[in-house]
Amino acid sequence: MNGTPNPLIGVIYHWLGGFSSATFYVPYRGVKRWSWEIYWLTGGIFSWLLAPWFFASVQTEDLLGVLGRAPTPTLLWPVFFGLLWGFGGLTYGLTMRYLGLSLGMAVVLGLCTVFGTLIPPLVQGDFAAKLLDTPSGLIVLLGLAITLAGIGVVAFAGARKDAALSDAEKAETVAEFNFRKGVAVAVFSGIMSSCFAFGLAAGEPIKAISAQAGTGPLWTGLPILCLVMFGGLVTNGLWCAWLIAKNRSAGQWLGRGAVAAGAPLAKNYLLSALAGTMWYFQFFFYTMGESQMGRFGFSSWTLHMASIIIFGTLWGFAFNEWKAAAPRVRAMVWGGIGLLVLATVVIGYGNSLAA
């Protein structure tokens, strides 16, 4: 493939990444008689370690040489932001447990869009110059306000659903549904998950080094994923190790213990590997899409967020998470999702004026 960007192809890649992100938790639903920390860490080894290094080594010319030529800060900052992002990924999984796919993804990703847009100018000290003193900045702020409105509508729908359903009905759709706990976890996850974008930005110089080594334009971002996701591995690995020690659940990998008695081990390993690999693919396709957007690169984050929200909502309805909710509550959910998608368009337009 030549080096000329193709935004249409870039959009397709972003939507493939969004589908992967929205779908990754689906295989975990088929894991039986394993505790959360066991299947989360099993899948995580694929998503944070095996998949990033495998695909980067295949598609990058002289991967170790590229990383070796990068300045030390360029290597450390992506790992640091990956550590912070790891908290977001960790609690992202918990959010799915407590809120379900559609509600959980809408709240987390809406917040991720807000923080991912606001935090960089605040840290860089040019918040006013970028967002308050220019037409493009004001449009972006309008998009963020719409995002918050969308989150509010979806969260209110979740509260209405929570109040109307019996404990048995809640367990039938989302086994551990807990609205208050889920929203609290989702807020934290949204803040921490936005750090992934900062990790990619911090490793940006590695793309040029990779290109100089002969790597094709689609793949120059893959070495950065190795660094950011290694940070995520450390955070998630430590937390899961603590839970495994606390719950004495390590034997479940071998089918031992009361919880894991009769567990379909081969199926559990395959489903966890599939889930972890799909979790990685969202970023794999994101870097490919970003490389193709050219002067429309401003829209990459918003395209990614919008596609995840849409596919996540479709999965939520496919799994009947809202079946027992009143029609007006389901309509409210779709209205909130519509606001979130509209917000990504508005933010993207605002960014385009500044591009």
Side-chain angles (χ1 to χ4, degrees):
M1 175 175 282
N2 60 43
T4 304
N6 187 330
L8 178 60
I9 297 296
V11 169
I12 294 173
Y13 285 141
H14 279 309
W15 280 66
L16 286 173
F19 176 79
S20 297
S21 177
T23 307
F24 93 95
Y25 203 78
V26 174
Y28 282 137
R29 296 171 65 101
V31 174
K32 305 297 182 184
R33 307 192 70 80
W34 269 7
S35 298
W36 178 84
E37 64 268 18
I38 297 298
Y39 68 73
W40 187 254
L41 184 56
T42 303
I45 290 172
F46 284 85
S47 59
W48 307 313
L49 185 63
L50 298 181
W53 284 94
F54 172 77
F55 287 103
S57 63
V58 169
Q59 298 295 347
T60 304
E61 294 292 333
D62 189 19
L63 173 61
L64 295 181
V66 167
L67 294 174
R69 290 192 292 275
T72 300
T74 305
L75 297 175
L76 295 180
W77 278 112
V79 175
F80 171 74
F81 284 118
L83 286 166
L84 298 181
W85 164 75
F87 287 106
L90 178 66
T91 48
Y92 188 69
L94 291 174
T95 303
M96 300 305 105
R97 288 171 64 189
Y98 296 138
L99 295 181
L101 287 169
S102 56
L103 178 57
M105 287 186 180
V107 175
V108 170
L109 298 175
L111 290 169
C112 191
T113 301
V114 172
F115 293 117
T117 305
L118 289 182
I119 290 178
L122 285 172
V123 172
Q124 296 163 6
D126 54 3
F127 180 85
K130 283 187 174 180
L131 294 173
L132 298 179
D133 299 338
T134 63
S136 62
L138 293 175
I139 291 175
V140 168
L141 286 177
L142 173 62
L144 294 178
I146 297 174
T147 300
L148 291 174
I151 295 171
V153 170
V154 173
F156 184 67
R160 295 287 297 274
K161 170 190 174 184
D162 186 37
L165 299 183
S166 66
D167 291 339
E169 288 173 320
K170 294 173 188 175
E172 184 180 348
T173 54
V174 181
E176 300 178 71
F177 188 84
N178 187 315
F179 179 72
R180 290 185 178 180
K181 185 184 292 186
V183 168
V185 172
V187 170
F188 181 80
S189 179
I191 297 172
M192 291 295 102
S193 294
S194 64
C195 291
F196 194 92
F198 311 150
L200 294 180
E204 189 72 19
I206 295 176
K207 287 185 177 181
I209 300 174
S210 185
Q212 291 170 2
T215 303
L218 276 179
W219 319 112
T220 54
L222 295 185
I224 309 173
L225 290 183
C226 294
L227 301 175
V228 179
M229 302 197 82
F230 176 76
L233 170 64
V234 173
T235 304
N236 284 264
L238 289 175
W239 176 251
C240 288
W242 182 81
L243 287 177
I244 290 169
K246 175 188 174 185
N247 300 329
R248 299 181 180 180
S249 52
Q252 293 178 21
W253 275 310
L254 300 176
R256 297 174 181 170
V259 173
L265 293 182
K267 180 180 178 182
N268 284 358
Y269 279 112
L270 287 173
L271 288 173
S272 297
L274 176 61
T277 303
M278 293 198 71
W279 175 251
Y280 165 75
F281 273 146
Q282 66 169 307
F283 307 114
F284 178 82
F285 286 117
Y286 179 87
T287 57
M288 292 173 65
E290 190 179 36
S291 74
Q292 292 298 299
M293 295 306 291
R295 66 187 182 91
F296 298 104
F298 61 85
S299 64
S300 286
W301 189 248
T302 52
L303 280 170
H304 190 60
M305 293 293 106
S307 61
I308 299 172
I309 290 170
I310 292 171
F311 286 121
T313 301
L314 293 176
W315 275 119
F317 276 86
F319 285 118
N320 295 319
E321 292 177 356
W322 297 90
K323 182 178 73 171
R328 63 181 180 279
V329 174
R330 293 198 296 270
M332 192 182 301
V333 172
W334 283 112
I337 297 301
L339 285 173
L340 289 170
V341 174
L342 173 63
T344 63
V345 174
V346 172
I347 292 171
Y349 174 67
N351 283 327
S352 71
L353 295 180

